[in-house]
Amino acid sequence: MCLETKLFHRDTWAEVNLDHIYENISSMKTRLGTGVSLFAVVKANAYGHGDCEVAKTALDAGADFLCVAFLDEALALRKKGITAPILVLGVSRPESAALAAEQRISVTAFDESWLKSAKAHLEPGQVLHVHVKVDSGMGRIGIRDETELVNVESLLKREACFNFQGIFTHFATADELNTDYYEEQLAVFKRMLTALTGRPEYIHAANSAASLRFADPVWNAVRMGISMYGLTPSMGMKPILPFPLRQAISLKSKLVAVKQLVKGESVSYGATYTAKANEWIGTLPIGYADGWIRKLQGQEVLIDGIRVPIVGRICMDQCMIKLPTSFPVGTEVTLIGNDGAESITVDEIAAKLETINYEITCMIGARVPRLYIKGNQQKHVRNFILE
Ligand SMILES: Cc1ncc(COP(=O)(O)O)c(C=O)c1O
């Protein structure tokens, strides 16, 4: 691959394969069939993949709505020319209601007082699109009480400044093989819906896990996050995925220095690694400030199709790997992704760090440029720190 080297000046980058994202969405759309809308979740800079590139790909693949966590993320998409409907899933300030309405950004209402306060901040003639959040068992934000939901519905219908566009809930355990809690939450959501006198345009409950496993006539839209990026919602779900997911992200670097240590010489802070014989050590320009955190000491990377370990402590901007032999400076190294027959998945890194794959892609820092692949070709580079 020919790197667009003028757009970044350090040989560490993440490759984001937009074709894979497109394919994951297409597979989900086929599974959903007609009549169920797809909301693409692009919060947190599209789980670290890059917000507008993923948003555009998702819309090309047929997504109907975009979801973010915060109003600023929605505004950033608008600034980059995204005109599609966007829903802010988290809490927006009532004071921001006029801005959201002006930008045609849908917001989440999670109690009656928020709506009353938002109304006071809207300009005459403005209409705010609202999705009402029901807390069916997540214990986060949302209405739990049917009477309050009825009051919210009548307020939304009464006031011309509001468009009751959607109602939704979020599952806490849809990725777990035991479905008891999922079923309880679904029952609560259905009971809450029966309290309504009408139905808004969108009723959505399923995240990736629920939409990959279940279908329910109660919802007419799903919110697809992690699976859009080609990652399983949980390890337990891996064997029961209804279609193959294609991981979109890879993380690459290049050797910037290669040296031979003599037996007994040490590597990095704390001198925690000492050469047991004369050993070849390569330096990579990536460190914990890029999200490649110190707990990844010992993790393997790929060079020339083989696995080699990170040795010594990971520094803020660099880390060292043990090479079987001398390699030329400039040799490509894969931290996440494929090299020959070998592969390091996001899930492998998550397992090493005893966490979930979501956290790994979100962790890859803004200092790492993203290189986008589309139609099997490098399309463009996004360098967040030079933006
Ligand atoms: C409210 C809400 N909906 C949908 C999603 C997407 O979930 P997933 O990435 O598991 O598909 C999230 C993710 O955190 C969320 O918070």
Side-chain angles (χ1 to χ4, degrees), residues 125-180:
Q126 280 194 314
V127 176
L128 183 66
H129 300 299
V130 173
H131 289 230
V132 172
K133 181 76 184 277
V134 170
D135 179 6
S136 58
M138 182 74 183
R140 206 162 59 173
I141 57 168
I143 298 171
R144 312 188 86 159
D145 176 69
E146 279 166 73
T147 312
E148 186 176 8
L149 183 60
V150 168
N151 292 340
V152 161
E153 185 194 24
S154 68
L155 178 77
L156 288 171
K157 288 196 159 165
R158 199 169 59 238
E159 302 292 351
C161 64
F162 293 128
N163 169 32
F164 184 15
Q165 191 178 48
I167 186 162
F168 71 112
T169 196
H170 190 51
F171 295 119
T173 63
D175 61 322
E176 291 176 14
L177 295 186
N178 183 322
T179 59
D180 293 350

Side-chain angles (χ1 to χ4, degrees), residues 41 43 47 89 133 140 168-170 206-209 223-227 233 358:
V41 182
K43 62 195 172 105
Y47 292 37
L89 295 167
K133 181 76 184 277
R140 206 162 59 173
F168 71 112
T169 196
H170 190 51
N207 52 2
S208 290
R223 301 185 304 275
M224 182 182 192
I226 196 76
S227 56
Y358 296 67

